[in-house]
Amino acid sequence: MIPEDRLLKPWTLIRVFYLRIGATWALTLCETALIALVPLFIGFAIDGLLTGQTTALFQLAGVMAALIVVSVIRRIYDTRVFGTVRVEVGRTQATRASAQPVSILNARLGMGRELVDFLEVEVPLVMTALVQIIISVIVLYAFDATLALAAGCAVGIMFAIYGLFHKRFFRLNGVFNGQTERQVSILEARNAPRLLTHLLRLRRMEVRISDAESALYGSVFAVLLGLVVFNLWYATTHVAVTPGTIFAIVSYSWEFVEAAVTFPMALQSWSRLSEIIQRLNTSVA
């Protein structure tokens, strides 16, 4: 049960359900570490098979078998844990906001689920991305420091780009959520022109948010794909490598890209969630 004197925030949910959420995140980190090791062991297996050795191939099979077991257990456990958290958040909202109009309460119940979704989806994605980035940088540095330096520069540019979008995401999501809170009262009025106006406003805000997302992701992808091209060029022209090493460098460069692009997505979700947290706690702050 969530204490009455606690605001509805991610940290509050973590403190109340720390054992269950901690267990899911531990499984996530274990799964991520195994995923991050796969390209490296594939590279070892390639080099081993080219020389007639199968030891690295069996090691790769062992890593992948462990990955399957951990990932299945995590997914089964996650659903049950965060389902319970959603129930408690909804019950707390209904108790605290019993005097609010139904339209607002209905909308905020959906927003409360987004609070839990952030812990279930976004936070593990960020944790996964951090592990993948750290392992990718270590592996790239082991081949050549320039490869790791290029990756670090790409992350710095990516965060700078996101900084230009944060306030816009917060403002647009605030307008969207405010319009959503009016939906039930608009439906109760059974006024077709008013309903059409409401739906058109929602569409207009969704388009604006989508346009901002597209501009952000396009800019970030351009930077990160430039990293892959640079590392491939540098590895083939400045580093003495084997076919397996080339595969590992390209794989970890691309894995770095996949992990790094998670941060703008998570930060955008945090921009939206920040506005939701402020809205959910308006009546109890």
Side-chain angles (χ1 to χ4, degrees):
M1 185 68 179
I2 301 173
E4 287 293 328
D5 60 339
R6 300 281 179 83
L7 297 180
L8 288 175
K9 294 182 177 182
W11 180 243
T12 299
L13 300 183
I14 293 171
R15 291 183 65 179
V16 174
F17 302 99
Y18 69 95
L19 288 177
R20 302 180 196 180
I21 293 177
T24 67
W25 287 354
L27 289 170
T28 297
L29 288 174
C30 183
E31 179 183 358
T32 301
L34 291 170
I35 291 174
L37 289 174
V38 168
L40 184 62
F41 277 87
I42 290 176
F44 291 157
I46 290 173
D47 287 339
L49 291 173
L50 289 175
T51 59
Q53 301 292 325
T54 59
T55 301
L57 180 62
F58 289 119
Q59 291 173 343
L60 171 63
V63 170
M64 296 183 72
L67 173 60
I68 292 171
V69 172
V70 172
S71 62
V72 169
I73 293 175
R74 182 187 68 80
R75 283 161 176 77
I76 292 173
Y77 188 60
D78 271 10
T79 303
R80 288 159 174 78
V81 169
F82 289 104
T84 299
V85 177
R86 286 188 184 90
V87 170
E88 291 300 324
V89 169
R91 182 168 67 170
T92 300
Q93 286 181 268
T95 301
R96 294 182 182 182
S98 57
Q100 289 181 342
V102 174
S103 179
I104 293 177
L105 179 57
N106 177 71
R108 293 189 180 183
L109 284 174
M111 295 177 194
R113 292 181 67 86
E114 291 192 40
L115 188 67
V116 183
D117 290 344
F118 184 80
L119 296 177
E120 182 181 12
V121 179
E122 304 299 338
V123 173
L125 281 177
V126 171
M127 294 167 59
T128 297
L130 281 173
V131 172
Q132 290 177 327
I133 285 176
I134 291 171
I135 293 178
S136 296
V137 169
I138 291 173
V139 172
L140 292 173
Y141 184 85
F143 291 127
D144 193 288
T146 301
L147 300 174
L149 178 62
C153 291
V155 169
I157 296 172
M158 179 190 68
F159 278 107
I161 292 173
Y162 175 77
L164 302 175
F165 286 84
H166 172 72
K167 289 184 178 180
R168 180 169 176 79
F169 280 130
F170 186 92
R171 180 176 59 82
L172 291 176
N173 281 299
V175 177
F176 181 84
N177 290 334
Q179 189 65 37
T180 302
E181 290 182 346
R182 303 183 186 99
Q183 183 162 288
V184 172
S185 61
I186 292 172
L187 291 172
E188 288 177 340
R190 299 188 181 279
N191 185 313
R194 187 182 175 192
L195 176 59
L196 178 60
T197 300
H198 165 71
L199 295 176
L200 289 173
R201 284 176 179 171
L202 289 179
R203 176 187 177 278
R204 183 163 60 249
M205 296 314 304
E206 288 172 340
V207 168
R208 290 183 179 180
I209 293 172
S210 177
D211 288 347
E213 290 175 350
S214 299
L216 171 62
Y217 295 153
S219 302
V220 169
F221 269 120
V223 173
L224 296 177
L225 291 178
L227 166 68
V228 174
V229 173
F230 172 81
N231 279 2
L232 178 59
W233 167 79
Y234 187 86
T236 55
T237 57
H238 293 76
V239 182
V241 292
T242 63
T245 302
I246 286 288
F247 174 84
I249 289 174
V250 173
S251 295
Y252 277 100
S253 295
W254 182 248
E255 187 170 294
F256 180 91
V257 168
E258 291 182 320
V261 81
T262 299
F263 284 98
M265 297 170 63
L267 290 171
Q268 179 204 341
S269 296
W270 177 250
S271 296
R272 172 171 172 76
L273 193 67
S274 298
E275 201 283 332
I276 288 176
I277 291 171
Q278 181 177 320
R279 191 176 295 268
L280 291 181
N281 294 289
T282 298
S283 61
V284 294

